[in-house]
Amino acid sequence: LFQYLGKGWIDARFAERLEVFKHEQAKELQRMKVEVESVLSGALKLQDREFSVLPDAWNKLNEAYSLTGWVLSPMQQYPGVGRMADDQLEEFLKDSELLESQKTRVRDADSRERDKVYQAKIFWHRIGRAKSAVVDLQNFVASQGLFLPPSLKQQFLEMLPILWSALTSKEVGHDAEDWKMQSEGW
């Protein structure tokens, strides 16, 4: 009787402890699943953000580089405002990005000097557009650089001073009418 009851009691205790152990293992397994899913979810969100940031970064770099190259190019194209009749000039200036005071200076200039006046005034709008694109790129890299691969972010950061240096050379060279400095920017 003692052997029979002892065996039943031992089996019951063993089964009870086995159930507690299984329950603890199931809880630990569930906790590990949640932890793995959390880490995986974070990594996937980071990758999604990286994939959305990369095209924007390349577009901003392309715009900044293209506009800088356009402003620095020694072969600039300008409309021949000196050859335009007054009504053509008015029509052209109406859609121009020049300020009203600048448009007035172009209008008031002698027809032989209109081209020079127009080119001098539009230069600042062109270089302003290029600088704005570089600033936009710089701000984008600063705010979204966390989502760029470190080596790529470093390359973006190395490109910014080059663009600024080129634009500065062009701007200062234009102000000083120093063609050598302007060509250094190119």
Side-chain angles (χ1 to χ4, degrees):
L1 180 68
F2 181 73
Q3 196 176 28
Y4 176 74
L5 288 176
K7 185 179 177 193
W9 181 80
I10 289 175
D11 285 345
R13 285 292 279 170
F14 181 73
E16 183 181 308
R17 286 192 174 174
L18 184 61
E19 285 301 315
V20 168
F21 181 73
K22 284 182 180 178
H23 179 70
E24 290 297 321
Q25 290 300 318
K27 281 180 18 182
E28 181 66 18
L29 186 61
Q30 189 63 25
R31 187 188 69 74
M32 295 293 271
K33 279 183 183 179
V34 168
E35 190 175 315
V36 166
E37 286 176 5
S38 172
V39 169
L40 187 59
S41 174
L44 288 175
K45 285 182 181 180
L46 190 61
Q47 253 185 351
D48 285 346
R49 187 70 175 139
E50 181 180 324
F51 286 133
S52 69
V53 165
L54 277 174
D56 292 341
W58 283 113
N59 286 338
K60 291 186 183 303
L61 177 62
N62 183 47
E63 183 179 359
Y65 182 78
S66 298
L67 287 173
T68 300
W70 173 61
V71 167
L72 296 175
S73 173
M75 298 300 293
Q76 296 288 316
Q77 289 185 333
Y78 301 99
V81 293
R83 293 185 302 276
M84 292 182 184
D86 288 341
D87 58 337
Q88 289 174 318
L89 180 64
E90 283 305 315
E91 192 175 312
F92 172 76
L93 289 176
K94 182 180 82 171
D95 295 330
S96 173
E97 62 186 310
L98 294 177
L99 302 173
E100 283 303 317
S101 61
Q102 294 171 327
K103 291 177 184 179
T104 302
R105 287 201 177 90
V106 172
R107 277 186 210 103
D108 293 346
D110 183 34
S111 62
R112 294 181 301 264
E113 294 294 315
R114 276 186 187 161
D115 284 330
K116 281 185 177 179
V117 172
Y118 176 78
Q119 290 171 13
K121 302 300 178 194
I122 201 68
F123 169 79
W124 295 108
H125 291 275
R126 289 180 176 186
I127 201 159
R129 195 178 320 153
K131 282 181 168 185
S132 178
V134 175
V135 165
D136 196 28
L137 172 64
Q138 188 171 351
N139 290 339
F140 187 83
V141 170
S143 66
Q144 303 297 320
L146 175 66
F147 303 109
L148 294 172
S151 62
L152 190 59
K153 180 181 177 184
Q154 184 60 36
Q155 289 174 339
F156 273 93
L157 291 173
E158 289 170 4
M159 180 62 100
L160 288 167
I162 295 169
L163 294 172
W164 280 121
S165 175
L167 287 171
T168 303
S169 291
K170 178 69 174 181
E171 185 176 8
V172 172
H174 182 268
D175 264 351
E177 295 181 8
D178 182 351
W179 294 105
K180 183 180 178 193
M181 184 177 267
Q182 289 186 52
S183 66
E184 285 175 11
W186 170 247

